[in-house]
Amino acid sequence: MGELLKREDQRVEDTWDLTSIFESDEKWEEAYKEVEDRLSEADTFREKGIQSSDDLLEVLEAERDLGVTLSQVYVYSHLKHDQDTSNSKYQSMESRAMSLYTKFASAWSFLTPALMQIDEETLNSYAEEDKLKEFKFDLEKINKQRAHVLSDKEEKLLAQAGLVLNNPGLTYAIFNNADLSFDNAVDSDGNSHVLTQGTYIDLLKSSDRTLRKSAYETLYKKYGEYENTLAQTLSGEVDSHVFTAEARGYKSSRDQALSNNHIPEEVYDQLVDVVNDNLHLLHRYTELRKEMLGLDELTMYDIYTPLVDEDFKVTYEEAKNHVIEGMAPLGEEYQDILREGFNNRWVDIYENKGKRSGAYSSGTYGTNPYILMNWQDNVDNMFTLAHEFGHSVHSYYSRKNQTANQSGYSIFVAEVASTFNEALLADYLYKNLDDDKKKLYLLNEQLEGFRGTVFRQTMFAEFEHKIHTLKESGEPLTADKLNEVYGDLNKKYYGDAVSYDDLISKEWARIPHFYMNYYVYQYATGYSAAATLSEIVLNGTKEDSDRYINEFLKKGSSNYPIEILKNAGVDMTTREPIEKAMKFFEEKLDQFEQLIKNK
């Protein structure tokens, strides 16, 4: 492999075009200064108060408009930083933008308490006025949170306490990303392989079992050396969730976390219940894994190893065409948006020195969507491209069809459009491949994606709820307790086909999502919703695809996420979508086993 290019040596056409946000860094500085200078407007509005619907409209529009400019300032600096993280100029710009966000949040923290000082009936009457129609739903949501909004002084105090409450997570992130290092893993020939957070899963995918075992044991033994410290940081994080929930008068930390997106708690419980009812499917998959790998004993370091040895190469140009063709069930307009993205440099394609790793979709109101890739010629990267374009087209539609204050969408639905695209691409490829080995490879990828996204994330969700419940009941979260809870869940999920050791019980220590306050369950619900919606579109008519676009992709946050999904055809308050997802996994497992028999 040749040496990585420097950023300045990348072909311009292979990089994203950020001039559509700001023509130059100097223009960014002007926008930054504008936001900074206008922060004092918040004081004027706070002192004036809200005496009429005209006052309300004025303050809401001012806060929204300044927020749009601030978001563009942040996105530009964040994308510039990520294209070369070693560039000190853009390090500074991103840091300044983040600091400006904090100042903005503090300056405008008075707004919600000020709205709560207006009695509910009056606020509702204001919201009914035509001039406030763009804010009607926002005001409805605020009214529903009335019981949990504190006084102006208390809200400001909580906003200022944010850094303290976030400290456990920040401490963990620094330790996990910067301070923690591992010895090299060693393969069966005695060769050393660099072991990092980024290389760990790739090493577990190796066909060399000695290398897999070495990576697994080296990583978790290192976490074990610090398990008491890491138990304390995680306990501190849970403490912060419990504290804010109690301070705001919620019945539990989960109640608070889910109420932010107006998600009924039964959605969480139903997910766990349905997945538990179908763990026999995961057990069947692990039995098949053991058989196909020819192992007398299947261990946790054998879980990621591909079951199909296939060198499935895909160039970026080929992937572009596959993604566009794969989205044909959504119609020509959707495909044209994809073409626009490819032709107008929404994508930063290739790796260069200093570029942030991984992939994501970014952007904000008033900008194009932007996709960061670190392209490699393989199927995984093609599916990642389809995934990120799912986010990007969702954002494109939302920003085109909603006002700035409702153009975003909640985390609960964020992964639906992206996973939906993966399902359509997989269906297209499977139908157009005449190579059974490549079909097996695709099915293996789908099975693994489901295992990692639905089964694994639901296991995480069970663990997360359990530790919060323990903390709320007064039980300390010691390393021994966390190991016990996590180890028991791992055995329940993966079943008797796996031979367990004590090391896997320490996996909780390396999962950063446990510092994100009831976040992980949404991966599983989003995947399940996407499986249901993709099945509807693939087996339906143009009316079904139009409904998906019009009732889901274009809706932003103009309604509660549960209602948006319901209008698109998926009712997440019932067991049905999770059960359909389980059926999807079973069907793919059946197809996989049948192709194996036919080989």
Side-chain angles (χ1 to χ4, degrees), residues 325-356:
E325 290 302 316
M327 300 308 120
L330 291 175
E332 191 67 26
E333 180 185 82
Y334 192 98
Q335 291 176 300
D336 283 343
I337 296 170
L338 295 176
R339 294 184 185 98
E340 179 183 342
F342 285 124
N343 295 334
N344 291 347
R345 294 173 53 202
W346 290 4
V347 188
D348 202 83
I349 306 169
Y350 297 107
E351 188 177 7
N352 55 250
K353 284 184 178 179
K355 187 176 178 180
R356 173 176 164 162

Side-chain angles (χ1 to χ4, degrees), residues 136-145 258-264 406 408-410 412-413 551-552 555-568 570 572-573:
K136 181 179 179 180
F137 182 59
D138 294 331
L139 294 171
E140 177 186 319
K141 288 189 292 183
I142 288 170
N143 252 335
K144 285 194 173 184
Q145 295 292 322
L258 270 62
S259 74
N260 289 335
N261 286 323
H262 299 270
I263 307 299
Q406 294 182 353
Y409 40 84
S410 77
F412 187 76
V413 300
E551 297 299 331
F552 180 69
K555 289 301 182 181
S557 57
S558 61
N559 202 345
Y560 300 111
I562 284 286
E563 296 303 316
I564 288 174
L565 282 174
K566 190 180 295 183
N567 292 335
V570 183
M572 295 305 296
T573 64

Side-chain angles (χ1 to χ4, degrees), residues 191-370:
N191 299 314
S192 292
H193 297 257
V194 174
L195 175 62
T196 66
Q197 305 283 6
T199 64
Y200 175 63
I201 297 301
D202 284 339
L203 293 175
L204 286 195
K205 291 180 178 180
S206 170
S207 59
D208 186 335
R209 199 173 189 219
T210 300
L211 177 58
R212 301 200 303 264
K213 181 179 181 183
S214 175
Y216 171 83
E217 292 183 345
T218 301
L219 184 117
Y220 286 119
K221 283 178 181 177
K222 177 62 70 172
Y223 275 106
E225 293 175 13
Y226 298 100
E227 63 180 1
N228 293 308
T229 298
L230 295 177
Q232 188 58 42
T233 60
L234 184 53
S235 179
E237 180 70 20
V238 175
D239 279 334
S240 74
H241 303 163
V242 174
F243 166 76
T244 54
E246 289 179 351
R248 293 192 176 280
Y250 288 93
K251 63 183 181 182
S252 68
S253 46
R254 187 177 75 169
D255 179 32
Q256 180 185 27
L258 270 62
S259 74
N260 289 335
N261 286 323
H262 299 270
I263 307 299
E265 288 191 81
E266 57 262 32
V267 170
Y268 199 102
D269 292 329
Q270 280 177 171
L271 168 69
V272 172
D273 289 345
V274 175
V275 170
N276 272 262
D277 289 345
N278 288 275
L279 285 178
H280 63 279
L281 294 174
L282 181 56
H283 299 167
R284 178 179 152 196
Y285 180 51
T286 54
E287 289 281 2
L288 177 65
R289 172 171 287 279
K290 181 179 179 180
E291 179 185 337
M292 288 189 66
L293 292 176
L295 299 174
D296 294 329
E297 186 177 75
L298 182 74
T299 68
M300 290 307 297
Y301 52 80
D302 300 315
I303 293 297
Y304 288 89
T305 313
L307 300 179
V308 181
D309 181 19
E310 171 60 38
D311 189 21
F312 199 159
K313 294 291 186 185
V314 183
T315 67
Y316 182 72
E317 289 300 317
E318 289 171 334
K320 283 168 54 176
N321 292 329
H322 287 321
V323 170
I324 292 170
E325 290 302 316
M327 300 308 120
L330 291 175
E332 191 67 26
E333 180 185 82
Y334 192 98
Q335 291 176 300
D336 283 343
I337 296 170
L338 295 176
R339 294 184 185 98
E340 179 183 342
F342 285 124
N343 295 334
N344 291 347
R345 294 173 53 202
W346 290 4
V347 188
D348 202 83
I349 306 169
Y350 297 107
E351 188 177 7
N352 55 250
K353 284 184 178 179
K355 187 176 178 180
R356 173 176 164 162
S357 62
Y360 62 66
S361 172
S362 187
T364 188
Y365 191 82
T367 79
N368 287 327
Y370 289 99

Side-chain angles (χ1 to χ4, degrees), residues 360-557:
Y360 62 66
S361 172
S362 187
T364 188
Y365 191 82
T367 79
N368 287 327
Y370 289 99
I371 295 173
L372 180 136
M373 294 288 297
N374 283 274
W375 183 264
Q376 302 293 322
D377 288 344
N378 57 48
V379 171
D380 283 352
N381 272 246
M382 176 171 61
F383 275 92
T384 299
L385 187 65
H387 181 103
E388 300 306 338
F389 258 107
H391 288 306
S392 289
V393 180
H394 190 184
S395 298
Y396 177 93
Y397 271 124
S398 294
R399 292 168 193 159
K400 291 285 185 184
N401 290 277
Q402 301 296 331
T403 55
N405 52 302
Q406 294 182 353
S407 64
Y409 40 84
S410 77
I411 296 299
F412 187 76
V413 300
E415 294 301 321
V416 174
S418 53
T419 311
F420 178 99
N421 275 20
E422 290 189 65
L424 260 59
L425 178 61
D427 182 80
Y428 164 79
L429 291 171
Y430 195 82
K431 288 174 178 175
N432 287 276
L433 285 172
D434 55 9
D435 183 331
D436 280 356
K437 197 168 185 183
K438 287 185 175 180
K439 286 186 174 184
L440 277 170
Y441 183 92
L442 278 176
L443 287 169
N444 189 193
E445 289 289 296
Q446 286 183 281
L447 290 169
E448 274 300 288
F450 195 101
R451 178 193 68 79
T453 308
V454 180
F455 286 115
R456 181 170 165 82
Q457 299 299 330
T458 303
M459 183 180 78
F460 286 175
E462 275 206 71
F463 175 76
E464 189 172 18
H465 187 47
K466 179 68 173 175
I467 62 176
H468 281 80
T469 303
L470 287 170
K471 177 66 74 169
E472 286 164 345
S473 68
E475 186 165 346
L477 296 180
T478 63
D480 286 345
K481 189 62 178 179
L482 292 168
N483 290 341
E484 175 193 334
V485 172
Y486 195 89
D488 288 346
L489 283 171
N490 212 79
K491 291 174 184 176
K492 178 175 78 169
Y493 271 73
Y494 286 96
D496 295 337
V498 179
S499 176
Y500 299 95
D501 56 52
D502 290 338
L503 290 176
I504 194 59
S505 68
K506 305 178 194 306
E507 187 178 39
W508 59 266
R510 66 172 286 264
I511 308 299
H513 292 78
F514 294 147
Y515 292 80
M516 297 173 70
N517 196 14
Y518 285 96
Y519 184 94
V520 293
Y521 83 99
Q522 296 167 116
Y523 287 116
T525 54
Y527 194 107
S528 300
T532 300
L533 287 168
S534 61
E535 181 182 292
I536 292 170
V537 170
L538 285 168
N539 298 317
T541 64
K542 184 177 185 299
E543 188 177 88
D544 293 304
S545 60
D546 287 347
R547 182 185 185 190
Y548 171 71
I549 292 171
N550 294 326
E551 297 299 331
F552 180 69
L553 296 183
K554 291 183 178 180
K555 289 301 182 181
S557 57

Side-chain angles (χ1 to χ4, degrees), residues 16-113:
W16 48 30
D17 177 15
L18 303 185
T19 61
S20 66
I21 310 176
F22 295 109
E23 292 179 7
S24 64
D25 294 349
E26 290 71 29
K27 292 293 184 182
W28 178 90
E29 291 286 356
E30 291 175 13
Y32 179 95
K33 185 70 164 56
E34 177 193 346
V35 175
E36 190 174 44
D37 289 346
R38 289 182 58 195
L39 286 179
S40 60
E41 290 178 8
D43 293 331
T44 304
F45 283 113
R46 182 174 59 248
E47 291 165 7
K48 178 182 178 183
I50 302 171
Q51 309 301 328
S52 66
S53 59
D54 287 335
D55 290 343
L56 178 57
L57 178 62
E58 187 181 12
V59 69
L60 291 176
E61 287 184 332
E63 192 262 353
R64 180 179 68 183
D65 294 346
L66 189 58
V68 166
T69 306
L70 174 57
S71 293
Q72 293 170 358
V73 165
Y74 172 73
V75 163
Y76 181 88
S77 64
H78 139 72
L79 296 176
K80 281 286 192 178
H81 169 259
D82 284 359
Q83 68 188 30
D84 183 0
T85 59
S86 65
N87 187 311
S88 59
K89 175 182 179 181
Y90 296 124
Q91 288 175 8
S92 174
M93 283 172 61
E94 184 182 43
S95 178
R96 289 166 59 204
M98 291 175 68
S99 177
L100 193 60
Y101 247 120
T102 301
K103 292 176 182 176
F104 175 83
S106 179
W108 286 89
S109 64
F110 79 92
L111 183 53
T112 299

